[in-house]
Amino acid sequence: MSTTAQNLTYRMSGVDVDAGNRLVERIAPLARATSRPGTVSGLGGFGALFDPAAAGYTDPILVSATDGVGTKLKIAIDAGHHDTVGIDLVAMCVNDLVVQGAEPLFFLDYFAAGALSVDHAADVIAGIAQGCKQAGAALIGGETAEMPGLYKAGDYDLAGFAVGAVERENILPRRDIEGGIKDGIKDSDVILALSSTGLHSNGFSLVRKIVENQGLALTEPAPFANCPLSEALLAPTRIYVRACLTAIRDTGAVKALAHITGGGITENLPRILPDHCAAEVELSALDMPAIMKWLARSGPVTADDMLRTFNCGAGMIVIAASDEADRIASVLREHGETVAPVGTIRRREDGPAVRYTGTLDLS
């Protein structure tokens, strides 16, 4: 007796190439809607092209950033809400570009799943396109990967990659250069905080643990807001690019920016400070979001751990001379930001780069 072996196909192994093609067809209009000066090619090529000269630069330094969304994705997947994590992905990359004075030029995404759901992926990429519009970046390419056996059913992962440009003479943070313009960070400079929209995209492993310990379902009302818990947790990361670039260009007085992500103010602010300077931050001046107060109480989580894990209401920090701070704050407010002075730069003799005064409002 003889048997005839069945021919195997890629689809039988768990990879649906046709689904990938359908996704490209659905997202192509989204990508085209993000086109900007400098965009040369659309989706579908082996590589994406961009012309910095067409974007108006004469002596550009390219700045690149890559990031993900972390375990915030798990909440999006469990809640079945996939339309905002794409904004988070863009925000985490482009906010890192603008702190160096760079304008985001283009963005690429990586979407990986065990089995491709065209609807879920399209929702995610629609969010990415929305984030690119907010940042003024072109979505010019990406990769969609099906990897059965590596991801559980329904799970997916995201990564983003952004490239920006800044004229060589305008790179931030400003530094005091011997024989050159001396406008770096100094004693008595003012620290301005731009309000966050909440958790942004950091600390979600701790957040998920607290939610689990509290026995809460994502569909339940949030204990701290008038909306479902999932909606409150998934509030997208604020994109500060347009407001910050305007303040940089219109005032010429922004000395430095710091994107407050994982590690909080404690670990991110020192990244822009010269060795001879320390930041003195008044904790009572931070406008703590209700969600963070709830996390601190429910954990419980100490103030020190809150400051090392979350943005504590300050998604972006601006450093400016004391006589320029009000002018910069005014420009930022005109472009939709909530701005508050939260501290001062002091000369650092010894001790930590960030010193806290006052008390964090966790009540």
Side-chain angles (χ1 to χ4, degrees), residues 163-205:
V163 171
V166 55
E167 296 289 3
R168 189 182 302 270
E169 62 184 12
N170 295 329
I171 296 173
L172 296 180
R174 294 186 177 181
R175 305 289 187 188
D176 285 339
I177 302 172
E178 186 175 352
I181 299 174
K182 297 184 181 296
D183 58 357
I185 299 172
K186 294 180 176 64
D187 181 27
S188 79
D189 283 349
V190 173
I191 303 169
L192 301 173
L194 278 59
S195 292
S196 68
T197 52
L199 297 171
H200 285 185
S201 299
N202 299 104
F204 273 86
S205 293

Side-chain angles (χ1 to χ4, degrees), residues 204-218 220 223 229 233 294-301:
F204 273 86
S205 293
L206 176 56
V207 171
R208 290 168 50 238
K209 184 66 175 177
I210 292 172
V211 170
E212 178 185 348
N213 289 347
Q214 292 292 305
L216 293 173
L218 294 175
E220 292 183 48
L229 180 59
L233 295 176
W294 176 78
L295 290 169
R297 294 193 303 267
S298 301
V301 183

Side-chain angles (χ1 to χ4, degrees), residues 16-352:
D16 187 349
V17 175
D18 292 333
N21 292 334
R22 291 196 301 274
L23 177 61
V24 171
E25 290 176 2
R26 282 184 58 173
I27 66 175
L30 299 174
R32 283 195 297 271
T34 69
S35 182
R36 50 151 296 152
T39 304
V40 175
S41 62
L43 300 181
F46 287 100
L49 308 179
F50 193 92
D51 181 3
Y57 287 88
T58 56
D59 186 21
I61 296 295
L62 296 181
V63 185
S64 61
T66 185
D67 213 330
V69 182
T71 59
K72 189 173 186 176
L73 283 180
K74 182 63 175 170
I75 293 174
I77 292 166
D78 290 348
H81 298 314
H82 311 284
D83 55 346
T84 59
V85 288
I87 299 174
D88 289 302
L89 185 68
V90 175
M92 294 301 290
C93 294
V94 298
N95 285 341
D96 278 353
L97 295 183
V98 77
V99 300
Q100 293 174 93
E103 173 193 16
L105 299 177
F106 59 84
F107 189 86
L108 299 98
D109 68 274
Y110 175 79
F111 180 102
L116 180 61
S117 165
V118 174
D119 289 339
H120 292 173
D123 284 346
V124 171
I125 296 171
I128 292 173
Q130 177 60 36
C132 286
K133 287 181 181 179
Q134 292 182 28
L139 176 59
I140 62 174
E143 167 69 1
T144 302
E146 282 189 281
M147 294 184 281
L150 188 59
Y151 295 94
K152 292 188 297 184
D155 282 355
Y156 59 85
D157 198 9
L158 292 175
F161 177 74
V163 171
V166 55
E167 296 289 3
R168 189 182 302 270
E169 62 184 12
N170 295 329
I171 296 173
L172 296 180
R174 294 186 177 181
R175 305 289 187 188
D176 285 339
I177 302 172
E178 186 175 352
I181 299 174
K182 297 184 181 296
D183 58 357
I185 299 172
K186 294 180 176 64
D187 181 27
S188 79
D189 283 349
V190 173
I191 303 169
L192 301 173
L194 278 59
S195 292
S196 68
T197 52
L199 297 171
H200 285 185
S201 299
N202 299 104
F204 273 86
S205 293
L206 176 56
V207 171
R208 290 168 50 238
K209 184 66 175 177
I210 292 172
V211 170
E212 178 185 348
N213 289 347
Q214 292 292 305
L216 293 173
L218 294 175
T219 53
E220 292 183 48
F224 49 86
N226 187 27
C227 65
L229 180 59
S230 60
E231 182 180 330
L233 295 176
L234 291 172
T237 306
R238 187 164 184 82
I239 294 176
Y240 299 98
V241 169
R242 292 186 185 272
C244 286
L245 284 177
T246 302
I248 291 168
R249 293 166 178 171
D250 287 2
T251 70
V254 173
K255 291 191 175 186
L257 299 167
H259 184 200
I260 308 303
T261 56
I265 294 173
T266 304
E267 295 186 9
N268 284 287
L269 195 46
R271 297 167 67 178
I272 62 170
L273 297 176
D275 292 340
H276 65 278
C277 288
E280 187 175 275
V281 177
E282 172 53 49
L283 294 178
S284 64
L286 295 174
D287 186 14
M288 286 286 288
I291 187 172
M292 294 186 192
K293 294 180 181 182
W294 176 78
L295 290 169
R297 294 193 303 267
S298 301
V301 183
T302 67
D304 284 346
D305 278 338
M306 292 295 295
L307 288 163
R308 289 177 61 90
T309 307
F310 303 109
N311 61 61
C312 291
M316 183 71 75
I317 293 289
V318 182
I319 308 295
S322 58
D323 60 351
E324 295 283 7
D326 286 346
R327 185 162 68 102
I328 291 170
S330 178
V331 173
L332 291 167
R333 291 185 183 110
E334 287 173 3
H335 285 78
E337 300 300 335
T338 301
V339 188
V342 297
T344 308
I345 300 297
R346 301 298 187 194
R347 182 153 189 85
R348 183 181 182 185
E349 304 296 343
D350 53 26

